[in-house]
Amino acid sequence: MGPDHLGSYLAIAAALFTTGVLAVCTRRNAIGVLIGIELMLNAAALQFVAYGRFRAPLGDSIGQAAAVFVIVVAAAEAAVALALLFAVYRTLRDIDLERTRELAA
Amino acid sequence: MIPEWLSSAIVLIPLAAALLAAPLRSAGLAHALAATAMAAATALAVWLAWLIVPTGLSWQGPRLVWLDLGSWALSLGTMVDSQAAIMGVIVCLLATLVLIFNAWYMHDEPLAARFPWQFSFFAFAMLLVVFADNLFLAFVGWELVGLGSYLLIGFWYMKPAVADDPFYQRFKGVRARGVLEHCLSPAHAQLKAFIMNRIGDAGFLLGIGAFLAAGLAAGVRDPLQWSELQRLAAQGMPGSFLGLSGEDLLLLGCLGVFCGAIGKSAQFPLHPWLPDAMQGPTTASSIIHAATMVAAGVYLVARCYPLFPPEALLVVGIIGGFTCLLAATIASVQWDLKATLAYSTVSQLGLMFVGLSAGSEAYGREAGLGHLYAHAMSKCLLFLAAGAVIHAAGGVQDMGRLGGLARRMPLTAIVSLLAVAALIGTPFTTGFFSKDAVLSAALLHAEQRGGWTWLPFALACAGSLLTAFYMVRWWVRIFLGPERQPEITEHAHDPPGWAAAPLVVLALFTLWAPWTVREHGEAVATGHSHAQIAAFSLIGGLIVFAVLTYAPVVRLVSCAGKPRWWQRIFSEHAEQCGFAHGQPSCTVPCGVKTAAAFAPGLLLIPWLLGYVFDSWFAPHGPDPAAAAQYHAMAIAIGLMFTGAATGLIIYWWLPRLGVDTTGFLARHIYPLYNACANLWWIDRAWHALFARGLGEGLGRLSARLDLGDRTRLAALEGAAPWRPRDLASLDGAIDGLGRICARLGAGLAAWHDGRIGAYAALAVGIASLLVIMGVLW
């Protein structure tokens, strides 16, 4: 264990991912669900960087590039999701996922 | 060299115009766009015809495989021969002209902006039928034509049924009858057109199935291609299917195609939709009756022509001839000016089928198509003129109220007179050549084959006689005579400037059209030039006319008018019948009796005249085809003159002399008049049989068998001893099925409760399971 071992990074990533999944599956507030998704994405980015650091030959930056991609995708996803939530809020005056289960407004 | 893209471009330009014009809100812009596009398509179509018609060959355009099923395939493509090229020109040209006219016709119509795109779409669908190189694509176009007509007929979809329309009730003719007023509105009419066409299309689909089966049995790769089908028919249809031989399948397929044509081209018994389609705008009628909708049926039969065996052609001829006469009798007594034209179209379509039924040795295809082209021009013009009249009269369509419009609308009167002349077949118009070709083809065919083939010819002759009568009546009632209700017609005026241009162009085409003369040239076996033929006909017709009508006319006039020197011969009679004492009721019986005495001469004299022509003028010596041609010419011209003269006498001359011929005829031949005026009760029969009988009957039946209704069930159990057990078992089965479905639904509903969290958990759970399984294996 420690900063020089791949396993510790993977453990943290797994913990982050699990937290995210739990948040997505259990949170009632839609913002909370969004945060959970961000956690999962960041767990994936962390794995990319970790594998790139420990398993790739020196000077290979593909892992880091993938992580940057993940961050960009996360940003786009957040923008779209927030816009959707905004629209939902404007029609239903609520973003509680238990109370916004009907398709009809 | 023909560019590859040419035929596809002609088809797709109207579609593009429809798509572009659909979102436009400005009527003027939409009309300009659509008319420009259609004019461009016309130019391309003329180019295509220019390249193809002189060669007389058929040209296969680009083709792509749409559905490949291994051993056989369906492809989409175009095939253009002379007929298709000419038809393409006519469709595009008429669409352009009607759009231009419509821009004026609908200038104060709030919905006008939606007309151009529906109209362009309609033209696109028709062009698809015209250029398609296989039955499948033709069927697609066929159905789209149906959709286009549905849209246009229901253009004023919010209009109430005429029973609830105060304007109609106020201005309908006093003699209007035979119309089911509570089911006559644009919404009803569009449904009627659609449903009646579906009946025909069911037969058409069966026909396509028969062709497909025959082609597959013969192992053809693309069995619905025209070229493949023609090759198969030429080989005597090898292969059989389900115990049916190739010939049987061919006959079945041809009858199926004709069944579709019965629906589309409004033949008996599926014709009532066409007169009802008058509920659409008059400009839409003018294209439906001329180039697009009803032409599709005739055109398709002509396209499949090499496939038709003689038995199928006989069916075509008999149905066509019967429709020709039936619709002509109805048209003769209609008082709505558009209804006369509508039944006239039905009648003329029947005449085209008679021409087609003559078979290829008698040039039947050329005759039928030639009449289709010539009729398209004159009928389109007649409807545009009718639109101008209705517009001028503020929406009044009753010929009992109009009259004397020639003074107020001289241009409309002249162009519609030309159209009437062409439609009844006056020499030196296109209609003369085409009608002559139809009759001569039918006559030649009857002489060759004998038997039942005389029936279509006889029916077509009777129909032509009545055509001349009712078209003259139509024109005289509208444009001559006194202004019967001046308050309706006092503001009447011709269409202004550019809106009159389509009328003038079409009028020129009724006088001369290259395609009609060309088709006739193929049908004529005499070797004379067209001018010679027209001149012979005119002279012969005048002789026939003089001999046939001299005695009745003189007799009538001596009864009704002031005696002149040549009338003294009959003055005796005038004394006898009491006419000289101011009792004019004798007039018509005298005329009718005399005419009846001359009726045998009506056929005899043209016959003799034909032999005279044949023996004196025939450049190639005696030849059955040429003789038939001359006989038909003399008969056609005799019928035309007789019918037109009768119309003029009854509706123009005698009324001028103060005789109420209309009322007289209606009283004295009442049963016949009544039957015609009631449309021979065919509309009513359809309504009673299908709308009321089948529809309401089925409703009542299903109500009686309503299985879920316990009280009704109990009543039934009491009433009929055999029912309870029967129903209980059925009941149990159906209820059980329902319960199973409900339980299953309730169980599955838990998985679809709308909670995103649950969905996400499910997704994650399944994904994890897959991962675990992947790792374990």
Side-chain angles (χ1 to χ4, degrees), chain A residues 21 24-25 97-98 101, chain B residues 753-755 757 760-761:
Chain A
V21 167
V24 166
C25 295
L97 294 178
E98 287 291 316
R101 287 161 55 177
Chain B
D753 61 351
R755 269 182 305 206

PDB file of all heavy atoms in Angstrom, chain A residues 21 24-25 97-98 101, chain B residues 753-755 757 760-761:
ATOM      1  N   VAL A  21     -22.444   4.836  -7.487  1.00  0.00           N
ATOM      2  CA  VAL A  21     -23.575   3.961  -7.814  1.00  0.00           C
ATOM      3  C   VAL A  21     -24.634   4.057  -6.740  1.00  0.00           C
ATOM      4  O   VAL A  21     -25.837   4.192  -7.022  1.00  0.00           O
ATOM      5  CB  VAL A  21     -23.086   2.511  -7.970  1.00  0.00           C
ATOM      6  CG1 VAL A  21     -24.271   1.562  -7.999  1.00  0.00           C
ATOM      7  CG2 VAL A  21     -22.263   2.366  -9.218  1.00  0.00           C
ATOM      8  N   VAL A  24     -26.513   7.265  -7.076  1.00  0.00           N
ATOM      9  CA  VAL A  24     -27.448   7.282  -8.203  1.00  0.00           C
ATOM     10  C   VAL A  24     -28.688   6.467  -7.871  1.00  0.00           C
ATOM     11  O   VAL A  24     -29.818   6.855  -8.173  1.00  0.00           O
ATOM     12  CB  VAL A  24     -26.761   6.736  -9.472  1.00  0.00           C
ATOM     13  CG1 VAL A  24     -27.781   6.435 -10.548  1.00  0.00           C
ATOM     14  CG2 VAL A  24     -25.749   7.715  -9.977  1.00  0.00           C
ATOM     15  N   CYS A  25     -28.466   5.306  -7.217  1.00  0.00           N
ATOM     16  CA  CYS A  25     -29.604   4.432  -6.988  1.00  0.00           C
ATOM     17  C   CYS A  25     -30.474   4.878  -5.825  1.00  0.00           C
ATOM     18  O   CYS A  25     -31.642   4.496  -5.754  1.00  0.00           O
ATOM     19  CB  CYS A  25     -29.137   3.013  -6.726  1.00  0.00           C
ATOM     20  SG  CYS A  25     -28.333   2.294  -8.155  1.00  0.00           S
ATOM     21  N   LEU A  97     -37.044  12.987  -7.356  1.00  0.00           N
ATOM     22  CA  LEU A  97     -37.286  11.931  -8.333  1.00  0.00           C
ATOM     23  C   LEU A  97     -38.430  11.017  -7.923  1.00  0.00           C
ATOM     24  O   LEU A  97     -39.013  10.339  -8.760  1.00  0.00           O
ATOM     25  CB  LEU A  97     -36.016  11.103  -8.542  1.00  0.00           C
ATOM     26  CG  LEU A  97     -34.886  11.887  -9.174  1.00  0.00           C
ATOM     27  CD1 LEU A  97     -33.651  11.022  -9.308  1.00  0.00           C
ATOM     28  CD2 LEU A  97     -35.294  12.404 -10.538  1.00  0.00           C
ATOM     29  N   GLU A  98     -38.776  10.988  -6.638  1.00  0.00           N
ATOM     30  CA  GLU A  98     -39.926  10.174  -6.237  1.00  0.00           C
ATOM     31  C   GLU A  98     -41.232  10.839  -6.655  1.00  0.00           C
ATOM     32  O   GLU A  98     -42.239  10.178  -6.836  1.00  0.00           O
ATOM     33  CB  GLU A  98     -39.933   9.980  -4.706  1.00  0.00           C
ATOM     34  CG  GLU A  98     -38.863   9.031  -4.217  1.00  0.00           C
ATOM     35  CD  GLU A  98     -39.139   7.602  -4.653  1.00  0.00           C
ATOM     36  OE1 GLU A  98     -40.291   7.158  -4.546  1.00  0.00           O
ATOM     37  OE2 GLU A  98     -38.203   6.952  -5.156  1.00  0.00           O
ATOM     38  N   ARG A 101     -42.487  11.107 -11.266  1.00  0.00           N
ATOM     39  CA  ARG A 101     -42.444   9.814 -11.932  1.00  0.00           C
ATOM     40  C   ARG A 101     -43.380   9.716 -13.131  1.00  0.00           C
ATOM     41  O   ARG A 101     -43.292   8.779 -13.901  1.00  0.00           O
ATOM     42  CB  ARG A 101     -42.805   8.708 -10.928  1.00  0.00           C
ATOM     43  CG  ARG A 101     -41.684   8.472  -9.957  1.00  0.00           C
ATOM     44  CD  ARG A 101     -42.164   7.764  -8.731  1.00  0.00           C
ATOM     45  NE  ARG A 101     -42.844   6.517  -9.052  1.00  0.00           N
ATOM     46  CZ  ARG A 101     -43.297   5.687  -8.116  1.00  0.00           C
ATOM     47  NH1 ARG A 101     -43.129   5.979  -6.837  1.00  0.00           N
ATOM     48  NH2 ARG A 101     -43.914   4.589  -8.458  1.00  0.00           N
TER      49      ARG A 101
ATOM     50  N   ASP B 753     -41.905   1.478 -12.617  1.00  0.00           N
ATOM     51  CA  ASP B 753     -42.637   2.399 -11.756  1.00  0.00           C
ATOM     52  C   ASP B 753     -42.212   3.834 -11.966  1.00  0.00           C
ATOM     53  O   ASP B 753     -42.714   4.724 -11.302  1.00  0.00           O
ATOM     54  CB  ASP B 753     -42.463   2.000 -10.290  1.00  0.00           C
ATOM     55  CG  ASP B 753     -41.007   2.058  -9.889  1.00  0.00           C
ATOM     56  OD1 ASP B 753     -40.159   2.226 -10.794  1.00  0.00           O
ATOM     57  OD2 ASP B 753     -40.717   1.945  -8.697  1.00  0.00           O
ATOM     58  N   GLY B 754     -41.264   4.099 -12.844  1.00  0.00           N
ATOM     59  CA  GLY B 754     -40.892   5.472 -13.121  1.00  0.00           C
ATOM     60  C   GLY B 754     -39.802   6.011 -12.220  1.00  0.00           C
ATOM     61  O   GLY B 754     -39.383   7.154 -12.387  1.00  0.00           O
ATOM     62  N   ARG B 755     -39.313   5.199 -11.248  1.00  0.00           N
ATOM     63  CA  ARG B 755     -38.241   5.695 -10.382  1.00  0.00           C
ATOM     64  C   ARG B 755     -36.907   5.467 -11.070  1.00  0.00           C
ATOM     65  O   ARG B 755     -36.512   4.331 -11.333  1.00  0.00           O
ATOM     66  CB  ARG B 755     -38.262   4.982  -9.026  1.00  0.00           C
ATOM     67  CG  ARG B 755     -39.091   5.699  -8.006  1.00  0.00           C
ATOM     68  CD  ARG B 755     -39.019   4.992  -6.708  1.00  0.00           C
ATOM     69  NE  ARG B 755     -39.407   3.590  -6.882  1.00  0.00           N
ATOM     70  CZ  ARG B 755     -39.920   2.858  -5.903  1.00  0.00           C
ATOM     71  NH1 ARG B 755     -40.087   3.380  -4.714  1.00  0.00           N
ATOM     72  NH2 ARG B 755     -40.236   1.612  -6.105  1.00  0.00           N
ATOM     73  N   GLY B 757     -33.995   5.791  -9.963  1.00  0.00           N
ATOM     74  CA  GLY B 757     -33.068   5.056  -9.102  1.00  0.00           C
ATOM     75  C   GLY B 757     -33.197   3.555  -9.307  1.00  0.00           C
ATOM     76  O   GLY B 757     -32.192   2.842  -9.422  1.00  0.00           O
ATOM     77  N   ALA B 760     -31.684   2.557 -12.530  1.00  0.00           N
ATOM     78  CA  ALA B 760     -30.221   2.586 -12.463  1.00  0.00           C
ATOM     79  C   ALA B 760     -29.709   1.368 -11.699  1.00  0.00           C
ATOM     80  O   ALA B 760     -28.745   0.721 -12.116  1.00  0.00           O
ATOM     81  CB  ALA B 760     -29.761   3.876 -11.792  1.00  0.00           C
ATOM     82  N   ALA B 761     -30.396   1.047 -10.604  1.00  0.00           N
ATOM     83  CA  ALA B 761     -29.969  -0.100  -9.816  1.00  0.00           C
ATOM     84  C   ALA B 761     -30.055  -1.369 -10.647  1.00  0.00           C
ATOM     85  O   ALA B 761     -29.151  -2.215 -10.642  1.00  0.00           O
ATOM     86  CB  ALA B 761     -30.846  -0.227  -8.572  1.00  0.00           C
TER      87      ALA B 761
END
